[in-house]
Amino acid sequence: MSERLSWDQYFMTITLQVAERSTCTRAKVGAVIVRDKNILATGYNGAPAGMPHCTDVGCLVYESKTPNGETEQNCFRTIHAEMNAIAQAAKNGSTIKDGAIYITHTPCIHCLKVGSKKYSI
């Protein structure tokens, strides 16, 4: 008989499945916001609803410099998974206060600034 998944394992398994919905051609990223063992919202990286997806029309990549001078590439067309999850919660009237966010990849600095207190990778 196999052991039952922990709550963290359970939510990370779901987060990995959410990532499979990604329409980004460079990375499949998923995010799940949870509070009190309940899923509040999910998100994956891709174009906003109603806009063309990178998988259909290609990426609009631009380069910028990080504060330590490293070159970073991002896509104008894509919204990050964390932002999509936060937007979904807001659209549905769900507060994410005191929630945790599970993410398949390390968050960028912008997502880190607007996310919940706890990140799991």
Side-chain angles (χ1 to χ4, degrees):
M1 187 168 150
S2 64
E3 280 190 38
R4 189 174 185 196
L5 294 176
S6 71
W7 283 107
D8 284 336
Q9 292 168 324
Y10 172 71
F11 291 125
M12 274 310 298
T13 299
I14 293 169
T15 304
L16 291 166
Q17 285 300 299
V18 169
E20 292 300 314
R21 290 277 306 152
S22 172
T23 60
C24 177
T25 59
R26 300 181 318 136
K28 290 186 174 290
V29 182
V32 174
I33 301 174
V34 175
R35 186 179 60 242
D36 299 327
K37 299 178 184 168
N38 289 296
I39 296 173
L40 302 175
T42 65
Y44 50 86
N45 57 331
M51 300 298 290
H53 295 285
C54 295
T55 51
D56 298 328
V57 295
C59 296
L60 290 175
V61 176
Y62 66 93
E63 290 187 353
S64 61
K65 296 281 185 189
T66 64
N68 63 0
E70 293 178 19
T71 300
E72 181 178 81
Q73 291 187 336
N74 290 289
C75 180
F76 281 113
R77 207 179 300 285
T78 299
I79 295 176
H80 290 183
E82 305 92 321
M83 296 291 191
N84 267 329
I86 292 167
Q88 183 188 81
K91 180 180 173 185
N92 293 326
S94 297
T95 179
I96 60 171
K97 183 179 180 190
D98 299 324
I101 187 165
Y102 292 80
I103 310 163
T104 58
H105 292 65
T106 304
C108 73
I109 188 65
H110 304 292
C111 292
L112 189 60
K113 290 189 284 187
V114 299
S116 298
K117 294 177 188 174
K118 177 182 175 186
Y119 282 87
S120 295
I121 302 169

